[in-house]
Amino acid sequence: MPSKRISPFLLEMGVSVLLPYLVYDWLSPSVGNTHALIISAIPPIIWSLVQIIREKRIDAISIFVIAGIALSLLAMAGGGSAKFLQIRENLVNALIGLFFLGSVLIKRPLILVLARAQIKARNPEHIAQFNLAMKHPQKRRPLILMTLVWGAGLILSALLSCALVFMMSIGTYMIVSPVVGYGIYGILILWTVWYSKRLKKR
C-alpha cells in the first residue's frame, strides 16, 4: 500500500509548535529556561529557510520571511529572562504590523508593493497593465484596505500573545500562543480571499 503523505499543515504545526515545545521541555532542566527557549526557536527558523531554498525563488514574500527571521534573531540576542524574550519575539509581529500601517501613510501600501513584485516575478508581461491600473484611486483603494487590515491584525496578534506571556507558564504559552497566532493568520487569509472574490464579482 502506498504510504500516506503527511499534510503540509500537520508538518508545519509539528515543526513550529510541537518540536520547539519538546526541545524546551527537554533542555530547560539542564540549561535553564532562557537558553532552552532560544534553542527551541532554531527548528522553525531552519524550517522557514529550507522552505525558501526548496522553492528556489527569492521573491518579495521570501524577503519578507527572511526579514522576519532576522528580526526574531535580533530579539533573541537581547538577553534577559525567558518571559522578556517571549515578549520581544512577539514585538516582531507588532513591528511588521507597523510597517504595513506606515506604508499606507507614505502612500506605498505594502500589499500593493508585494503584489507588484509577485506579478513582475511570475508574469512580467502583465506588469505594465498592473501599473496602469494602480494609477486609479478606486483600483488602489482595496489594496490599501488590505494593508490596513493586515497591519491591524498583526498588531492585535502581538498584543494578545504578549498578554498570554504573563497569564501562562512558559511551556503552556509555547503551545497556546502559536494556535492564537495561526488562528489570526487564518482569519486574515480567509478575509483576504473573501474580499478578493467580492472585488472580482464587482
Side-chain angles (χ1 to χ4, degrees):
M1 293 178 63
S3 59
K4 294 182 179 179
R5 293 182 61 186
I6 301 175
S7 73
F9 176 75
L10 290 178
L11 191 57
E12 176 77 23
M13 293 299 288
V15 174
S16 301
V17 181
L18 182 59
L19 186 55
Y21 173 79
L22 293 175
V23 170
Y24 168 80
D25 190 57
W26 178 47
L27 291 177
S28 56
S30 58
V31 303
N33 291 336
T34 302
H35 289 94
L37 202 58
I38 291 173
I39 296 170
S40 72
I42 293 175
I45 290 174
I46 293 175
W47 172 256
S48 297
L49 292 174
V50 167
Q51 291 294 95
I52 291 173
I53 294 170
R54 193 172 68 174
E55 290 290 327
K56 296 179 181 179
R57 182 180 66 246
I58 299 297
D59 54 18
I61 301 298
S62 302
I63 293 172
F64 201 62
V65 172
I66 292 171
I69 291 172
L71 289 171
S72 296
L73 290 172
L74 286 175
M76 288 190 293
S81 69
K83 290 285 186 181
F84 280 107
L85 179 62
Q86 289 175 320
I87 291 174
R88 285 201 303 272
E89 200 171 10
N90 284 316
L91 293 180
V92 172
N93 257 359
L95 184 59
I96 294 174
L98 289 173
F99 280 147
F100 272 85
L101 299 182
S103 69
V104 174
L105 291 178
I106 63 174
K107 297 182 180 180
R108 288 182 60 83
L110 200 51
I111 294 292
L112 187 153
V113 174
L114 292 174
R116 180 182 286 119
Q118 289 290 92
I119 292 172
K120 190 173 182 180
R122 297 181 180 180
N123 300 290
E125 67 276 8
H126 295 160
I127 193 65
Q129 183 181 357
F130 178 82
N131 288 335
L132 182 62
M134 289 302 105
K135 290 181 178 180
H136 299 283
Q138 66 270 26
K139 298 287 187 180
R140 292 173 62 93
R141 198 170 295 122
L143 297 181
I144 292 173
L145 177 60
M146 288 183 184
T147 303
L148 290 172
V149 169
W150 273 87
L154 291 172
I155 292 173
L156 175 62
S157 177
L159 291 175
L160 285 175
S161 293
C162 284
L164 292 176
V165 169
F166 296 102
M167 296 167 60
M168 300 176 173
S169 66
I170 295 172
T172 303
Y173 171 87
M174 291 181 71
I175 296 296
V176 175
S177 179
V179 174
V180 172
Y182 278 108
I184 292 178
Y185 274 118
I187 291 171
L188 289 171
I189 291 170
L190 288 174
W191 177 84
T192 302
V193 171
W194 170 81
Y195 186 61
S196 298
K197 288 182 177 178
R198 185 183 174 196
L199 289 174
K200 288 179 181 178
K201 287 182 180 179
R202 288 182 180 179

